[in-house]
DNA sequence: TTTGGTTTCAC
DNA sequence: TGAAACCAA
């Protein structure tokens, strides 16, 4: 308890007392002030949706009561700028230390880095920890020390790391409370009146909070886990772990999950239980995907906004809000898709398989911009998670090096018979089809008139005809791809001719503005007109969190030097433009700066200009290419990335014929420019 | 055991 | 779609 100064433990998405390294460090250091800052405006577009906020509310209440039983309580602050709130709490409690656990989404990386820089400058000792991953992203590299770009290789490496993930920490026995007599909590409003009714229903199915999370984990491991591989292909199965929302808010530690599952694995291996082992591997793989989503987000901070494969920026998406609405309402005419969308709307939950079905339909059949779909998921899913959803949508869209082929369309009719062979799932969520025999349940448009009549269905009236025919979708997809490759080719030609300005800006397709009515009519509380916050954090760095990070910091500095030539790798305290005169951080932090660019623009040119204005003269042509691109801006080692994708034209994943046919697709945007400027 | 046809499932 | 696993002769 050095000199009476207490520590602030800043809770974010680590709402647990067990295996919480930041909390443990705080307790070890003496008196603790537990703090949660609610600053949703910082999330820009990704203001949490109704169900997500409901969960957060419950979870915080639960955490608070746990902390109370341990000797302290949770201080809550309502803020538009987390960093200044932190400072305020430091001032009012006399804290001398700040502890928190790492997050890896782009916004948090920037904010946390800023927090660290700023508070350190104020004389506060800031330390941060890994509480969310088995391994920190910068610890997992290939034989050449470069980040992986495919999941399989990444996960294989994780499972064979030379050191095990940290063992979970026990919860503290007792917490000495810091002096909060001059630090009051703000009341936090997570729902408005119109939402309360819908939210009340959620409580019947879910109970947020770390102890429920723990219970869910135990239940799953001792029950459904062993059948996981058998059951995972059913649309309906009650055999998923249902851990994802708990994991999203960090109510249960992924390391604990991993350790407990490993114990079962050993047990079943000894018993020669093949199915059990297989199940464990599959379940761990889904944990691995979660890890990988953070890994991707860390290495490619744009991955929630832009395709990782650059050529996709030329894809002519169908900007059709009517389609979008039909999809959201579950009125596409494809029963499995519609059932899924109705379930999502009604419950905030969707089985993993069905997420694949509806999102694949969205991207491949409707050819709507995937960010719209991802945003809708964000708004409606109980376990909405930016990194995981970005990975999922990019995978589905075929915009990852190891994603599905872009030109492949899955037929919802066949998927229907695969995942819902008896049509039970469809009947549950589409009562209008309840009386249709299984033979036709997944393709009512083929059913004889007499069958439809008997089932009380009038296609086009009480259930829609297919919004888009699969064959038509295939044809249109081919055309779109042809167009995409042509655009891509002429862009390359332009670049090679030295007229880089060329088509560099044709990236509008990747940043089509969100439609105004992205929410279902019933849900109207979302903030409007938040501009995409893309590119606002481009000159920020990786979190330079732990001492083990020195290497990363160096490499990042290199990257930054390349990016912003004039700045010698000092971390810009201002997230947006280090070219601009520094402003008083306290009053004009990151988000204010972003909002300064809040011009109401609904098309990309406006957006481009808004951003370019702010980046002022630094927008050299190269830089602009960059701005339009998906470059890992503060990737830990941008230079090695560029080698990987530019030096080797066949790039990674030569096994995929699709990629062979389109070797350009290996390039994760613009790394060429990156290496050239360096 | 080899071979070739079929099934499965992709992050 | 296509690589890998599977299976039947």
């Amino acid at each position: 308890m050095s000199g009476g100064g207490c520590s602030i433990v800043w809770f974010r998405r680590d709402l647990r007392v067990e295996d919480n390294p930041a909390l443990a460090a705080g307790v070890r250091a003496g008196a603790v002030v537990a703090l949660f800052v609610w600053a949703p405006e910082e999330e820009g577009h990704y203001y949490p949706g109704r169900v997500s906020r409901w969960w957060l509310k419950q979870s915080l209440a639960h955490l608070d009561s746990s902390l109370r039983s341990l000797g302290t309580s949770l201080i809550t602050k309502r803020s538009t700028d987390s960093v200044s709130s932190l400072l305020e709490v430091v001032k009012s409690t006399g804290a001398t230390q700040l502890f928190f656990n790492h997050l890896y989404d782009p916004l948090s990386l920037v904010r946390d880095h800023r927090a660290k820089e700023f508070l350190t400058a104020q004389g506060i000792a800031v330390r941060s920890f890994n509480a969310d991953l088995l391994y920190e992203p910068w610890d997992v590299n290939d034989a050449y020390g470069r980040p992986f770009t495919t999941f399989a290789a990444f996960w294989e490496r994780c499972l064979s790391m030379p050191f095990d993930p940290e063992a979970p920490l026990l919860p503290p026995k007792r917490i000495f409370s810091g002096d909060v007599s001059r630090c009051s909590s703000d009341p936090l409003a997570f729902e408005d009146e119109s939402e309360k009714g819908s939210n009340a229903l959620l409580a019947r199915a879910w109970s947020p909070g770390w102890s429920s999370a723990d219970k869910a984990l135990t239940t799953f491991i001792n029950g459904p886990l062993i059948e996981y591989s058998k059951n995972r292909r059913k649309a309906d199965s009650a055999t998923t772990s249902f851990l994802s929302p708990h994991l999203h808010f960090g109510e249960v530690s992924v390391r604990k999950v991993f350790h407990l599952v490993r114990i079962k694995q050993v047990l079943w291996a000894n018993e020669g239980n093949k199915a059990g082992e297989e199940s464990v591997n599959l379940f761990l793989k889904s944990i691995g995907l979660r890890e990988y989503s953070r890994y991707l987000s860390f290495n490619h901070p744009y991955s929630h906004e832009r395709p990782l494969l650059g050529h996709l920026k030329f894809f002519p998406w169908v900007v059709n809000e009517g389609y979008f609405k039909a999809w959201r309402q579950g009125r596409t005419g494809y029963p499995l898709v519609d059932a899924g969308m109705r379930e999502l709307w009604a419950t905030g939950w969707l089985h993993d398989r069905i997420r694949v079905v509806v999102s694949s339909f969205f991207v491949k059949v409707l050819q709507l911009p995937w960010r719209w779909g991802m945003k809708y998921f964000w708004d409606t899913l109980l376990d909405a998670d930016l990194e995981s959803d970005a990975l999922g949508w990019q995978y589905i869209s075929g915009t990852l090096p190891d994603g599905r082929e872009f030109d492949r369309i899955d037929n919802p009719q066949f998927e229907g018979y695969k995942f819902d062979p008896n049509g039970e799932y469809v009947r549950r969520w589409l009562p209008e089809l309840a009386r249709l025999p299984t033979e036709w349940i997944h393709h009512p448009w083929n059913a004889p008139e007499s069958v439809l009549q008997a089932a009380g269905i009038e296609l086009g009236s009480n259930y829609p005809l297919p919004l888009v025919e699969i064959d038509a979708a295939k044809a249109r997809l081919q055309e779109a791809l042809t167009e995409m490759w042509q655009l891509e080719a002429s862009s390359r030609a332009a670049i090679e001719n030295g007229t880089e300005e060329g088509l560099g800006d044709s990236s509008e397709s990747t940043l089509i503005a969100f439609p105004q009515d992205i929410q279902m009519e019933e849900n109207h509380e979302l903030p409007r007109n938040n501009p995409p916050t893309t590119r606002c954090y481009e000159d920020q760095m990786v979190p330079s969190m732990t001492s083990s990070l020195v290497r990363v910091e160096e490499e990042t500095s290199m990257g930054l030097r390349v990016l912003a030539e004039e700045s010698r790798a000092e971390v810009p305290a201002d997230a947006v433009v280090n070219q601009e005169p520094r402003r008083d951080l306290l009053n004009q932090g990151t988000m204010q700066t972003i909002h300064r660019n809040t011009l109401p623009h609904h098309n990309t040119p406006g957006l481009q200009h808004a951003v370019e204005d702010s980046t002022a003269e630094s927008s050299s042509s190269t830089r602009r290419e960059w701005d339009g691109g998906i470059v890992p801006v503060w990737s830990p080692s941008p230079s090695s990335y560029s080698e990987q994708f530019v030096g080797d034209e066949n790039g990674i994943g030569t096994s995929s014929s699709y990629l062979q046919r389109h070797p350009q697709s290996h390039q994760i945007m613009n790394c060429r420019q990156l290496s050239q400027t360096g």
Side-chain angles (χ1 to χ4, degrees):
Chain A
M1 325 212 173
S2 43
C6 64
S7 329
I8 294 171
V9 175
W10 181 21
F11 284 90
R12 294 102 61 82
R13 266 168 268 152
D14 50 350
L15 305 179
R16 61 177 186 265
V17 292
E18 183 183 353
D19 193 30
N20 187 324
L23 177 62
V27 169
R28 215 177 307 126
V32 165
V33 172
L35 172 68
F36 181 85
V37 180
W38 172 241
E41 287 79 12
E42 286 185 348
E43 314 292 328
H45 268 316
Y46 297 95
Y47 186 98
R50 171 179 65 85
V51 291
S52 190
R53 276 178 283 118
W54 171 81
W55 189 290
L56 177 60
K57 180 187 177 188
Q58 315 298 318
S59 192
L60 286 172
H62 189 81
L63 178 66
D64 181 49
S65 77
S66 301
L67 290 170
R68 282 174 194 276
S69 72
L70 289 168
T72 184
S73 66
L74 188 65
I75 299 292
T76 54
K77 287 288 179 191
R78 179 67 175 90
S79 171
T80 51
D81 178 20
S82 296
V83 177
S84 46
S85 291
L86 286 172
L87 183 68
E88 182 193 324
V89 175
V90 162
K91 293 261 157 76
S92 62
T93 60
T96 54
Q97 286 170 295
L98 171 70
F99 300 113
F100 62 88
N101 294 313
H102 295 164
L103 295 173
Y104 308 89
D105 65 282
L107 291 157
S108 297
L109 285 170
V110 172
R111 181 198 54 220
D112 295 351
H113 189 83
R114 194 163 65 90
K116 189 164 212 174
E117 290 286 306
F118 183 58
L119 290 171
T120 302
Q122 302 284 317
I124 304 299
V126 183
R127 283 182 60 205
S128 60
F129 305 85
N130 171 21
D132 191 49
L133 294 176
L134 300 176
Y135 298 103
E136 291 285 18
W138 48 86
D139 284 335
V140 185
N141 293 303
D142 67 13
Y144 305 98
R146 297 178 302 206
F148 291 100
T149 52
T150 57
F151 170 71
F154 163 80
W155 188 230
E156 195 183 333
R157 176 69 183 149
C158 285
L159 290 175
S160 61
M161 287 287 277
F163 53 99
D164 280 331
E166 301 284 327
L169 304 165
L170 293 173
K173 291 201 191 76
R174 169 152 184 76
I175 301 174
F176 295 99
S177 187
D179 176 12
V180 291
S181 57
R182 292 188 302 122
C183 178
S184 58
S185 275
D186 298 335
L188 304 184
F190 290 109
E191 56 188 1
D192 62 37
E193 286 306 316
S194 68
E195 295 171 330
K196 283 193 171 142
S198 320
N199 285 345
L201 292 172
L202 287 169
R204 290 203 212 155
W206 297 92
S207 52
W210 69 268
S211 51
S212 313
D214 219 46
K215 218 173 294 167
L217 173 61
T218 319
T219 308
F220 174 67
I221 287 182
N222 293 324
L225 173 59
I226 197 162
E227 301 268 78
Y228 192 77
S229 73
K230 289 252 144 35
N231 288 327
R232 90 207 127 96
R233 43 187 27 259
K234 294 207 198 122
D236 242 352
S237 86
T239 59
T240 58
S241 69
F242 295 110
L243 285 175
S244 52
H246 296 295
L247 280 168
H248 171 75
F249 286 107
E251 298 174 353
V252 64
S253 138
V254 78
R255 294 187 296 221
K256 181 171 180 181
V257 175
F258 185 76
H259 279 264
L260 291 181
V261 170
R262 276 308 260 290
I263 290 171
K264 282 287 180 194
Q265 187 176 37
V266 171
L267 186 75
W268 289 332
N270 287 340
E271 290 172 356
N273 184 336
K274 280 280 175 209
E277 265 194 284
E278 168 78 358
S279 289
V280 165
N281 287 334
L282 276 165
F283 178 68
L284 284 182
K285 189 165 145 187
S286 68
I287 296 292
L289 283 166
R290 181 181 175 283
E291 297 273 309
Y292 190 57
S293 71
R294 272 75 180 147
Y295 188 79
L296 268 191
S297 174
F298 179 84
N299 286 309
H300 307 278
Y302 290 116
S303 61
H304 65 302
E305 300 273 355
R306 296 161 180 282
L308 250 55
L309 295 179
H311 56 282
L312 258 296
K313 77 175 179 182
F314 299 103
F315 187 82
W317 299 102
V318 174
V319 179
N320 181 328
E321 297 194 19
Y323 284 5
F324 186 33
K325 189 167 182 177
W327 179 77
R328 289 182 335 241
Q329 295 181 331
R331 300 193 55 78
T332 68
Y334 290 90
L336 187 64
V337 174
D338 292 339
M341 295 311 291
R342 305 262 183 106
E343 181 184 21
L344 172 59
W345 177 244
T347 67
W349 180 262
L350 213 46
H351 189 285
D352 182 55
R353 295 283 147 164
I354 305 303
R355 296 183 196 204
V356 171
V357 170
V358 300
S359 53
S360 160
F361 181 86
F362 184 93
V363 173
K364 302 299 177 66
V365 179
L366 301 180
Q367 288 159 41
L368 293 167
W370 62 273
R371 285 175 67 245
W372 290 10
M374 194 183 114
K375 176 69 163 65
Y376 183 73
F377 269 25
W378 174 260
D379 290 337
T380 52
L381 276 173
L382 201 56
D383 60 359
D385 181 285
L386 201 55
E387 297 95 307
S388 289
D389 291 344
L391 172 61
W393 280 89
Q394 293 233 22
Y395 165 70
I396 291 304
S397 307
T399 64
L400 291 174
D402 52 352
R404 300 196 158 188
E405 298 89 345
F406 195 90
D407 56 356
R408 170 180 153 186
I409 291 187
D410 289 308
N411 190 324
Q413 178 185 337
F414 303 145
E415 310 253 79
Y417 286 107
K418 218 151 110 192
F419 301 130
D420 182 31
N422 304 316
E424 291 152 12
Y425 179 72
V426 164
R427 290 194 189 90
R428 162 140 17 106
W429 293 106
L430 302 177
E432 62 266 47
L433 299 185
R435 294 165 61 204
L436 195 61
T438 303
E439 188 184 359
W440 307 107
I441 192 83
H442 290 300
H443 52 132
W445 58 88
N446 288 333
E449 195 49 45
S450 59
V451 171
L452 290 174
Q453 250 173 26
I457 297 164
E458 198 186 327
L459 288 181
S461 161
N462 61 358
Y463 187 74
L465 283 157
L467 188 60
V468 175
E469 302 275 353
I470 295 294
D471 286 342
K474 279 185 182 155
R476 199 176 65 186
L477 186 59
Q478 285 310 324
E479 281 168 31
L481 283 168
T482 309
E483 189 183 336
M484 176 183 86
W485 289 120
Q486 278 167 359
L487 286 170
E488 198 268 353
S490 44
S491 163
R492 303 188 119 224
I495 290 168
E496 270 149 32
N497 289 336
T499 51
E500 313 87 303
E501 295 285 331
L503 296 176
D505 280 348
S506 42
S507 58
E508 56 258 36
S509 47
T510 61
L511 271 189
I512 298 161
F514 292 124
Q516 289 299 294
D517 69 332
I518 186 157
Q519 284 290 289
M520 299 279 277
E521 295 64 36
E522 301 92 313
N523 204 356
H524 35 254
E525 82 289 355
L526 260 221
R528 305 288 188 230
N529 283 334
N530 272 333
T533 52
T534 338
R535 279 170 275 149
C536 292
Y537 11 86
E538 64 190 359
D539 42 13
Q540 280 287 335
M541 295 174 75
V542 290
S544 55
M545 305 293 179
T546 62
S547 49
S548 72
L549 251 179
V550 176
R551 182 180 55 82
V552 173
E553 277 193 283
E554 285 167 4
E555 286 176 348
T556 306
S557 304
M558 284 164 42
L560 270 182
R561 182 154 36 79
V562 171
L563 173 61
E565 298 93 45
E566 71 287 332
S567 110
R568 243 316 122 123
E570 285 309 311
V571 185
D574 179 310
V576 178
V577 246
N578 64 346
Q579 290 82 15
E580 288 189 0
R582 284 219 178 156
R583 282 155 293 190
D584 173 22
L585 275 176
L586 188 58
N587 298 325
Q588 275 193 292
T590 311
M591 295 317 289
Q592 280 79 3
T593 314
I594 287 169
H595 288 296
R596 197 170 48 76
N597 290 332
T598 308
L599 320 173
H601 44 254
H602 304 293
N603 52 21
T604 313
L607 200 164
Q608 291 280 355
H609 286 124
V611 173
E612 281 171 16
D613 288 348
S614 76
T615 47
E617 71 283 358
S618 75
S619 298
S620 68
S621 58
T622 318
R623 174 64 172 277
R624 182 160 321 158
E625 251 319 288
W626 251 61
D627 285 345
I630 307 88
V631 178
V633 172
W634 63 89
S635 154
S637 58
S639 47
S640 53
Y641 253 106
S642 42
E643 282 161 33
Q644 184 164 0
F645 289 102
V646 178
D648 176 9
E649 276 295 299
N650 284 325
I652 46 169
T654 26
S655 54
S656 162
S657 76
Y658 177 80
L659 292 181
Q660 266 167 352
R661 274 179 282 134
H662 302 294
Q664 309 92 306
S665 60
H666 290 291
Q667 287 188 38
I668 289 188
M669 279 318 287
N670 285 330
C671 295
R672 179 191 307 277
Q673 283 78 17
L674 179 61
S675 53
Q676 281 173 354
T677 31

